[in-house]
Amino acid sequence: MLTMLGLIAAVWALLPNNARLGFRLRLTWVDWCVISGVLLTIHAFYFEPVLRDVGVFPVLGPWKWGFDKSTTQYLLFLLLAVFVPIRALTTRRLTRRRLSIFNRLSTSLLHECRFDELAVLLDRHLVPAIDVAMSEGVRNRVAQFIQPPRPAFQVLMRDDGTLTLGNVGELGWIARAWFWARETLADLIGPSESLRNRARIIVKRLLTSRQLVAYLATARPYLCLQVMERATLLVEEFQDEFFDALLGNEGSIFYIELKDNQNFVGGQGHRLYIPDENRLLNFYLKDVELAGKLGVYRSVGEAVLAHIDGDEALLKKLNGPQLQYRETTKHRCPVYAGIWFFRVMVLEGLHQRSNDHLWLHYMPHFATRLVERAREVDELDGDDEFPTPLSYLLYQLVATTAEWIDDAEHLTGEEKNVVTPDQTDGNHVYISFQAAEALGRVMQPILLSDRVTSRVQEQLLTSALHMLRRLEQQDHLSALAASVRTHLIYPYGPGHCEEYLPLLKACFQAQDHVLRADLPTFRLELDEALEGAQ
């Protein structure tokens, strides 16, 4: 027994401070009472003759089942050895005392950049910490009543748990006991205001660390999703940092899930099936209102724009030869991943009849930035359908925007319900009208740029005009077709198209004669716009 106690003492002395804090965090005062009781019982058995002589140890009856004093002591040690790790693996509610230990331990690991250990700690305690920080309800109001504010008394609680009376100094033991009892009772009923404030400070300090969020995004992404909705209320930029880290790591779940999300839902136009294992996409898009509420389009859109503007290595690849980009490399490209995420998200919004356009208007921004970062046209570029990955991304922008418009046909059903631009309830296609507005703004920088080959410009316009022809064949979609024509001709209104209209006319004239013949209204409106601009 002395050997075991000596070994325990030696191990405890050699443990680093963080390990000891972690051990204290895992055990409650009840656990310590059980451990102390078992150890006292073991020592009582060992000193039984002495204790019996002084009359403080009862006379036990005969031993049964082959047990004696030594085997009983061994069994108690064995039970204690099993009890401690089992209790240490159980996550418990963070109390005022345990929150202080959690604060010290998490701060130490964060400052030492030991993110692997900190991630394990947060796996267990981040959700309870946020629960404490954001807890509201009747229990909290009762707890607040038990611990009312006393500004005139000026009782101050320090981070280490000590109580002081203003600048007078530490309180006496009676006052400390009184306030401790009230704090304890308040915490038993519900987290008090002071406890919630401390929890908020701890959570904010952790979630505002860019290095930690970047590590969690790749190592514990589903933990981030678990707390995302509440964490963004405490730390507004948490989601932005999360997606910035995901897009910056080719092995993240963002790329994996988007690559595995390529199958169509049968009979629902271009809508894609989202399997259950794609937990990130399901989290945001199962009910697309959550994506709108959290503003995930801003987080992804700004991260994509940042890569276009600042990632020189990426731009070098996008302006290089195609090679295997369209087959494999695109699945590791942050720009393609961002476009594909918008494709899936906006299609979900359209098919879920959302009246939020989910900022599909990021597509014109993508087009403008890509065109600005494109290299000069090479004399050999005209021989290829898409001479560079960047030109293929421009095609994806146009094709994706056209799909959001095209799916209006599938959503209006066999009843052929007439759609209007301002309809936002019932079986509406509000997103399709917004996409019609965005399509012209995607095409304008492409046609105005001398860094995009004529062949690519004509192909992209062909994609948009084929979609327009399908719309014009459906009488109930005439308002949507008119919106497409208007915004292709006037992307930003009649006063901002002097240079654009001649280029659009030339590109239209280069189209197949059958396609041009099938779009007489578009040709007429384009000619009228040119006459009005002269």
Side-chain angles (χ1 to χ4, degrees), residues 135-148 186 189-193 196:
S135 58
E136 297 291 346
V138 176
R139 293 177 62 187
N140 300 110
R141 289 194 289 271
V142 173
Q144 187 63 24
F145 175 77
I146 294 173
Q147 187 195 32
I189 296 173
S192 61
E193 183 62 29
R196 295 203 299 273

Side-chain angles (χ1 to χ4, degrees), residues 514-534:
V514 176
L515 179 60
R516 286 187 281 115
D518 289 340
L519 297 171
T521 306
F522 179 78
R523 183 175 65 251
L524 178 61
E525 291 181 0
L526 179 57
D527 291 339
E528 291 176 353
L530 278 168
E531 292 176 3
Q534 292 175 354

Side-chain angles (χ1 to χ4, degrees), residues 1 12 17 52 83 89 99 114 154 162 275 302 307 312 350 369 385 389 394-395 416 427 430 435 439 463 497:
M1 185 180 70
W12 183 259
N17 184 55
R52 187 176 295 170
F83 172 81
L89 292 174
L99 188 64
R114 296 165 64 177
Q154 294 186 357
T162 60
E302 293 301 322
H307 277 278
E312 297 299 331
L350 179 62
R369 298 289 183 86
E385 181 184 20
L394 294 176
Y395 163 75
K416 306 293 185 181
N427 293 329
Y430 170 77
L439 181 61
S463 178
C497 52

Side-chain angles (χ1 to χ4, degrees), residues 2 102 133 155 192 248 250 259 309 347 360 387 440 474 500 516 524:
L2 291 175
F102 174 72
V155 176
S192 61
E250 295 179 357
K259 182 180 178 181
D309 289 340
L347 282 172
L360 58 86
Q474 306 290 329
Y500 168 70
R516 286 187 281 115
L524 178 61

Side-chain angles (χ1 to χ4, degrees), residues 100-272:
S100 178
I101 299 173
F102 174 72
N103 181 26
R104 291 166 58 191
L105 180 56
S106 60
T107 302
S108 176
L109 294 174
L110 179 63
H111 290 170
E112 294 175 12
C113 295
R114 296 165 64 177
F115 297 130
D116 52 345
E117 297 178 40
L118 183 54
V120 174
L121 179 68
L122 295 183
D123 256 342
R124 298 165 57 87
H125 295 293
L126 181 58
V127 173
I130 293 179
D131 289 341
V132 174
M134 304 193 67
S135 58
E136 297 291 346
V138 176
R139 293 177 62 187
N140 300 110
R141 289 194 289 271
V142 173
Q144 187 63 24
F145 175 77
I146 294 173
Q147 187 195 32
R150 301 288 296 277
F153 199 42
Q154 294 186 357
V155 176
L156 305 177
M157 177 177 291
R158 307 299 183 186
D159 288 339
D160 59 1
T162 60
L163 294 167
T164 60
L165 181 57
N167 296 323
V168 175
E170 235 180 278
L171 295 175
W173 69 270
I174 297 177
R176 288 200 303 270
W178 167 243
F179 283 101
W180 178 85
R182 292 176 63 183
E183 282 283 342
T184 302
L185 182 57
D187 287 347
L188 288 175
I189 296 173
S192 61
E193 183 62 29
S194 61
L195 184 64
R196 295 203 299 273
N197 285 336
R198 292 173 62 193
R200 291 188 196 105
I201 293 171
I202 295 169
V203 172
K204 285 182 179 180
R205 183 177 63 250
L206 292 170
L207 298 186
T208 52
S209 170
R210 296 191 64 183
Q211 289 179 297
L212 176 60
V213 174
Y215 180 85
L216 292 177
T218 53
R220 298 287 194 280
Y222 300 123
L223 172 63
C224 296
L225 293 180
Q226 187 178 355
V227 303
M228 183 65 71
E229 192 168 355
R230 292 179 297 167
T232 52
L233 297 177
L234 292 171
V235 182
E236 185 177 354
E237 65 272 16
F238 175 70
Q239 183 176 252
D240 299 338
E241 299 291 348
F242 175 71
F243 276 99
D244 186 60
L246 290 181
L247 277 168
N249 188 330
E250 295 179 357
S252 70
I253 61 168
F254 190 70
Y255 290 97
I256 294 172
E257 290 193 12
L258 290 173
K259 182 180 178 181
D260 295 339
N261 213 94
Q262 307 283 328
N263 297 325
F264 291 105
V265 178
Q268 297 192 41
H270 298 93
R271 189 181 188 183
L272 296 174

Side-chain angles (χ1 to χ4, degrees), residues 59-79:
V59 178
L60 300 177
W63 294 99
K64 294 183 179 181
W65 305 309
F67 278 97
D68 57 17
K69 184 171 66 175
S70 298
T71 55
T72 302
Q73 289 175 310
Y74 174 80
L75 180 61
L76 289 174
F77 261 122
L78 181 62
L79 291 176

Side-chain angles (χ1 to χ4, degrees), residues 229 239 282-285 287-296:
E229 192 168 355
Q239 183 176 252
N282 271 292
F283 173 77
Y284 283 104
L285 306 182
D287 181 0
V288 81
E289 287 187 7
L290 181 63
K293 176 184 175 182
L294 297 181
V296 66

